[in-house]
Amino acid sequence: VQLQASGGGLVQAGGSLRLSCAASERTFSRYAAGWFRQAPGKEREFVAAIKWNGGRSYYSDSVKGRFTISRDNAKNTVYLQMNSLKPEDAAVYSCAAMVDYSHYDSSYYDTPSMYDYWGQGTQVTVSS
């Protein structure tokens, strides 16, 4: 599965952006999807994840209440709606996909090594 992230850009603090992650195959609908971010000099950080059917989503504490992950399996696409952006949200955002299982809990979805496929990143810059 190839993943293509897009939608990054420059936004003022308090503004919004919507990231998209388009997958190359219809089998993407069987995979959980996640968004991670990495700022310069920092480790990769989990942002949000969503189960294969969109039935449940997970968020890091730092974005909970501001970001929303969703998916449209008919379009093989996962979205990350980011509202009330802060300067500390600035980073390269990457999407990833993993084989999903019903018994998985949040500890699986926030772990980068669990993901099988990664897309290239899209830069998000937030000006103060």
Side-chain angles (χ1 to χ4, degrees), residues 5-88:
S6 62
L10 172 63
V11 63
Q12 287 188 333
S16 298
L17 280 175
R18 188 176 82 155
L19 305 184
S20 298
C21 176
S24 60
E25 300 178 13
R26 291 184 178 181
T27 54
F28 180 66
S29 64
R30 305 175 190 172
Y31 292 84
W35 286 97
F36 291 79
R37 67 187 182 187
Q38 188 166 20
K42 295 187 177 181
E43 292 188 356
R44 181 181 289 171
E45 175 189 15
F46 168 74
V47 176
I50 189 167
K51 290 187 69 69
W52 70 274
N53 61 356
R56 186 156 186 178
S57 55
Y58 305 87
Y59 298 93
S60 68
D61 288 341
S62 62
V63 308
K64 197 172 296 182
R66 300 187 297 122
F67 291 11
T68 302
I69 189 171
S70 62
R71 67 189 300 159
D72 184 343
N73 284 342
K75 297 182 178 179
N76 300 328
T77 302
V78 172
Y79 305 97
L80 184 69
Q81 178 67 44
M82 306 186 296
N83 298 329
S84 302
L85 281 160
K86 304 176 181 180
E88 54 263 41

